[in-house]
Amino acid sequence: MKFDKILLSHGSGGRLSQDLIQDIFLKDFGNEILDELNDSAVLDFSVPSVPSVPSGPSCLSCSRLSFTTDAYVVSPIFFPGGDIGRLSVCGTVNDLSMMGAKPLYLSVSFIIEEGLGIEELKAISRSIKEAADEAGVKIVCGDTKVVGKGMADRVFITTSGVGLIPDGIDISPRRICPGDSVIISGSIGDHGIAILSQREGLGFSSSLVSDAAPLNHLVASMLDEVGNDIHALRDPTRGGLATTLNEFAGRSNLSIKIYEDRIPVQDNVRAVCELLGFDPLYIANEGKLVAIVRNEVKDRVLALMRKHPLGINSAIIGEVVEKPEGLVCLITRIGGIRVVDMIAGEQLPRIC
Amino acid sequence: MKFDKILLSHGSGGRLSQDLIQDIFLKDFGNEILDELNDSAVLDFSVPSVPSVPSGPSCLSCSRLSFTTDAYVVSPIFFPGGDIGRLSVCGTVNDLSMMGAKPLYLSVSFIIEEGLGIEELKAISRSIKEAADEAGVKIVCGDTKVVGKGMADRVFITTSGVGLIPDGIDISPRRICPGDSVIISGSIGDHGIAILSQREGLGFSSSLVSDAAPLNHLVASMLDEVGNDIHALRDPTRGGLATTLNEFAGRSNLSIKIYEDRIPVQDNVRAVCELLGFDPLYIANEGKLVAIVRNEVKDRVLALMRKHPLGINSAIIGEVVEKPEGLVCLITRIGGIRVVDMIAGEQLPRIC
């Protein structure tokens, strides 16, 4: 580690986060499931690596669950288009969905700062309930801790989730091939810019709304249509589209070429980005997915996605090529080529 | 709700916590799994209430998983006998074990305050690894968020876990019967008093050590020996033995009678309690379990528990009787009877 103390950037989802995970957590905890570093872990109850259970069942033996966790520390806790409660459900539902799983059960764990208004907590609780209903998942366990005034920032929520991966479905960056198409399910940067504008009290906040939404139904319809012709899925949250595509390029050891003029960005998001010097490629989304699909099915998948309320603005934004290995290249509007790197730190802290 | 703001006592595990859960969370999220309010949720993949999975597997259909979550906010993060890392693994492993499950997989989610020392984080990470190895569980997913200086208290950890419940095993407070015996696996109050003495800089802290330990192997050997003759299990954490027994009495609508002179309390823990006016019955434990077992097997279970390193000081401390319904009664050393109520708030905040 190059640092002796934790910096805000260690939580960015960018390169410093990855260093922290590699140098500490993976070194200590590493195993064949964790090392995959997917949006959720795949628990395969059919492989012998599962420790044997004394007098246990033999019949979990043919299926796989996905399991994931995320802490939510967004500030402010209420923002246009949602709140920390909605975010905490959507994020975890989406992490399960990105492995092709059907999300079923969620846990919700609260760390509350003394003094939080009961009405605020009730509003957050209702949001959680509504988002869970929207996704069709049940909240089956939880925990509540309270810490003293000044020991937290109002409320933090950690959700974990369990989903069932249909037999035969195998969604993983390892399956990305040259020739595959890259599809995004809508405009990028909405969530991060909505949070920023709310936080900074920018005048145009009314038109900027977080995209936080559960993507499981969209994913289910995609899987129903083309199954494993979807090779990889990910929701570009912290670190934005750029980080997700870099992860894909790195994991597959291939190159991803995207076209600037095909990437949907809302005008108001673009305006804020230009004003403040942000690049929307790095801004968090909470209701979008990137799909890497077999080239032959791209038009069918796109048509299907555009019929779904959460995929109306879906677009094919690029393709997978062999070289330069591990890199993401952006073809700019004027035809130039720019390497889209991972950022070291982050542009916006605490957006999720 | 009688309050308009969250108080520290809402996180106590006592009556105020229960009010919060009932009035807000259960009202919003309530379902047949959550409403059980057990240490972990039982996910039964054999019942039709599991939403159908499109083109999904049919063969998860004969088994049950347990699923649980807990947030850890203990202060200080390092204490005699452990640290927040060890605690976060043991607590979640134990919650799974108390449903008779074999813990298999854990998620670990960090909320870190900017400025935490990397060496401290490394030490916590190693503790997590060691406790996970001790319990025989794998860490399969995680998350890391960083919040600004002053927005958290060094580090909070939320762990969730998944375990497999062996076929036929049914451990639940609903199964408690009149005549059952109450067994505790060792001395009470060790964890809470170790934290307190560390926090307050009491001189005798060296001899006070947290009992944080994973109880899954102890539980497995008990289940192997007498199976469902164990009716209920719980680890008396926040709120201590008194709260756990009150939950049992309330859920079974029976009465639990315990004998003061049979309850193991270490001398140094008793000394601190007497000095500071605490009742060890309400102090948190992190490596103890309470078992309600069929009277006929109590001696066999006790003998077995005493052979296990984590159960050497196990004792039969009472029995289940019919009346007074829903109450816990303590037979004092001098033969008096005292009703052991739940406390409204808590004696010690942030002990777990």
Side-chain angles (χ1 to χ4, degrees):
Chain A
M1 298 289 299
K2 302 172 212 78
F3 305 92
D4 66 346
K5 287 188 186 304
I6 292 289
L7 311 177
L8 269 182
S9 299
H10 282 114
S12 65
R15 200 171 297 285
L16 272 184
S17 293
Q18 298 207 333
D19 288 351
L20 185 74
I21 291 167
Q22 290 288 345
D23 295 350
I24 302 186
F25 301 132
L26 280 187
K27 203 171 275 177
D28 284 336
F29 311 151
N31 59 57
E32 72 287 359
I33 302 174
L34 183 65
D35 294 349
E36 291 283 317
L37 292 181
N38 282 324
D39 278 346
S40 55
V42 177
L43 312 182
D44 191 340
F45 285 88
S46 72
V47 292
S49 74
V50 172
S52 71
V53 178
S55 68
S58 55
C59 197
L60 265 170
S61 59
C62 54
S63 271
R64 296 167 302 153
L65 295 176
S66 65
F67 178 38
T68 191
T69 191
D70 258 318
Y72 296 87
V73 298
V74 65
S75 171
I77 54 177
F78 296 95
F79 48 80
D83 59 30
I84 191 170
R86 179 173 178 81
L87 195 61
S88 69
V89 171
C90 295
T92 291
V93 162
N94 292 345
D95 280 346
L96 294 172
S97 306
M98 297 308 132
M99 299 308 291
K102 179 182 172 65
L104 295 176
Y105 301 111
L106 254 52
S107 69
V108 181
S109 204
F110 295 89
I111 297 172
I112 307 175
E113 185 189 10
E114 186 186 14
L116 180 75
I118 296 282
E119 286 306 318
E120 291 173 295
L121 186 61
K122 281 186 178 169
I124 291 166
S125 174
R126 273 191 301 270
S127 284
I128 290 174
K129 150 85 174 152
E130 285 164 14
D133 286 349
E134 211 174 311
V137 297
K138 283 183 184 171
I139 290 155
V140 294
C141 52
D143 186 35
T144 312
K145 292 291 191 312
V146 181
V147 299
K149 192 88 188 159
M151 298 297 170
D153 191 14
R154 314 198 71 199
V155 62
F156 301 141
I157 301 178
T158 301
T159 46
S160 300
V162 171
L164 203 46
I165 304 176
D167 278 352
I169 289 297
D170 180 19
I171 307 292
S172 159
R174 281 181 284 95
R175 295 190 58 239
I176 298 173
C177 304
D180 282 355
S181 294
V182 182
I183 307 181
I184 180 98
S185 66
S187 60
I188 63 168
D190 300 2
H191 175 74
I193 294 299
I195 298 291
L196 174 79
S197 63
Q198 174 78 357
R199 196 189 291 165
E200 306 298 333
L202 300 185
F204 32 69
S205 63
S206 65
S207 63
L208 292 162
V209 176
S210 166
D211 57 350
L215 295 166
N216 55 321
H217 302 305
L218 174 61
V219 170
S221 68
M222 292 164 68
L223 289 175
D224 276 351
E225 180 78 11
V226 299
N228 281 338
D229 281 342
I230 298 166
H231 291 164
L233 287 171
R234 197 156 287 190
D235 54 335
T237 55
R238 271 191 297 186
L241 179 62
T243 301
T244 293
L245 293 180
N246 266 285
E247 285 167 2
F248 281 166
R251 296 294 301 289
S252 63
N253 215 21
L254 294 167
S255 180
I256 294 179
K257 189 160 71 169
I258 52 173
Y259 299 86
E260 190 174 18
D261 58 1
R262 300 191 199 162
I263 301 168
V265 183
Q266 290 197 57
D267 288 341
N268 50 9
V269 169
R270 191 186 303 280
V272 174
C273 282
E274 284 177 2
L275 199 66
L276 301 177
F278 290 129
D279 184 340
L281 283 174
Y282 293 94
I283 304 288
N285 312 277
E286 291 290 346
K288 299 291 156 35
L289 62 81
V290 186
I292 309 286
V293 306
R294 202 161 68 88
N295 181 53
E296 288 73 8
V297 302
K298 67 174 189 292
D299 295 318
R300 254 168 80 201
V301 175
L302 183 71
L304 178 109
M305 289 172 72
R306 285 185 168 169
K307 273 188 223 147
H308 192 282
L310 294 174
I312 292 168
N313 296 313
S314 294
I316 298 169
I317 58 168
E319 63 256 357
V320 178
V321 293
E322 298 208 6
K323 302 206 175 219
E325 286 169 12
L327 290 187
V328 178
C329 297
L330 179 79
I331 312 301
T332 64
R333 276 171 213 287
I334 54 165
I337 298 180
R338 170 159 84 85
V339 171
V340 178
D341 204 359
M342 273 185 136
I343 41 173
E346 71 184 324
Q347 304 187 78
L348 293 174
R350 298 188 60 192
I351 35 73
C352 63
Chain B
M1 298 290 298
K2 300 173 213 76
F3 305 93
D4 65 348
K5 287 187 186 305
I6 292 289
L7 311 177
L8 269 181
S9 299
H10 281 115
S12 65
R15 199 172 297 285
L16 271 184
S17 294
Q18 298 208 332
D19 288 351
L20 185 74
I21 291 166
Q22 289 289 345
D23 294 350
I24 300 186
F25 301 133
L26 281 187
K27 202 171 276 176
D28 283 336
F29 312 152
N31 58 58
E32 71 287 358
I33 302 173
L34 183 66
D35 294 349
E36 291 284 317
L37 291 180
N38 282 324
D39 278 348
S40 54
V42 176
L43 311 182
D44 191 339
F45 286 89
S46 72
V47 292
S49 75
V50 172
S52 70
V53 177
S55 68
S58 55
C59 197
L60 265 170
S61 59
C62 55
S63 270
R64 296 166 302 154
L65 296 175
S66 66
F67 177 38
T68 191
T69 190
D70 259 318
Y72 296 87
V73 299
V74 65
S75 169
I77 55 176
F78 297 95
F79 48 81
D83 60 28
I84 192 170
R86 179 172 178 82
L87 195 61
S88 70
V89 171
C90 296
T92 291
V93 162
N94 293 346
D95 280 346
L96 294 172
S97 306
M98 296 308 133
M99 299 308 290
K102 179 181 173 65
L104 295 175
Y105 302 112
L106 253 52
S107 68
V108 181
S109 202
F110 295 89
I111 297 171
I112 307 174
E113 185 188 9
E114 186 186 15
L116 180 75
I118 296 281
E119 286 306 318
E120 291 174 295
L121 186 61
K122 281 186 179 168
I124 292 167
S125 175
R126 273 191 302 270
S127 285
I128 290 175
K129 150 87 174 149
E130 285 163 16
D133 285 350
E134 213 173 311
V137 297
K138 283 184 185 172
I139 290 155
V140 293
C141 51
D143 186 35
T144 312
K145 293 290 192 314
V146 180
V147 299
K149 193 88 187 158
M151 297 298 169
D153 191 13
R154 314 197 71 198
V155 61
F156 301 140
I157 301 178
T158 301
T159 46
S160 301
V162 172
L164 204 46
I165 304 176
D167 278 351
I169 289 296
D170 180 19
I171 307 292
S172 159
R174 281 181 284 95
R175 294 189 58 239
I176 298 173
C177 305
D180 283 355
S181 294
V182 182
I183 306 180
I184 181 100
S185 66
S187 60
I188 62 169
D190 300 2
H191 175 74
I193 293 299
I195 298 291
L196 175 79
S197 63
Q198 174 78 358
R199 196 188 293 167
E200 307 297 333
L202 300 184
F204 31 70
S205 63
S206 64
S207 64
L208 292 163
V209 176
S210 167
D211 58 350
L215 296 166
N216 54 321
H217 303 305
L218 175 60
V219 170
S221 68
M222 292 164 68
L223 289 176
D224 276 352
E225 180 78 10
V226 299
N228 280 339
D229 281 343
I230 298 166
H231 291 164
L233 288 170
R234 196 157 287 189
D235 54 337
T237 54
R238 271 191 298 186
L241 180 61
T243 302
T244 293
L245 294 180
N246 267 286
E247 286 167 1
F248 281 166
R251 295 295 300 287
S252 63
N253 216 21
L254 294 167
S255 180
I256 294 178
K257 189 161 71 170
I258 52 174
Y259 299 85
E260 189 173 18
D261 58 1
R262 299 190 200 164
I263 300 169
V265 183
Q266 290 197 58
D267 288 342
N268 50 8
V269 169
R270 192 188 302 281
V272 174
C273 282
E274 283 177 3
L275 198 68
L276 301 177
F278 290 128
D279 184 341
L281 284 174
Y282 293 94
I283 305 287
N285 312 278
E286 291 289 346
K288 299 290 156 38
L289 63 81
V290 186
I292 309 286
V293 307
R294 203 160 67 89
N295 181 53
E296 289 73 10
V297 301
K298 66 175 188 294
D299 296 319
R300 254 168 79 201
V301 175
L302 183 70
L304 178 109
M305 288 173 73
R306 285 183 169 170
K307 273 188 223 147
H308 192 281
L310 294 175
I312 292 168
N313 296 313
S314 295
I316 298 169
I317 58 169
E319 63 256 358
V320 178
V321 293
E322 297 210 5
K323 300 199 180 236
E325 287 168 11
L327 290 187
V328 177
C329 297
L330 179 79
I331 312 300
T332 64
R333 277 170 213 285
I334 55 165
I337 299 180
R338 171 159 82 83
V339 171
V340 179
D341 204 359
M342 275 186 134
I343 40 172
E346 71 184 324
Q347 303 186 93
L348 294 174
R350 297 189 59 192
I351 36 73
C352 63

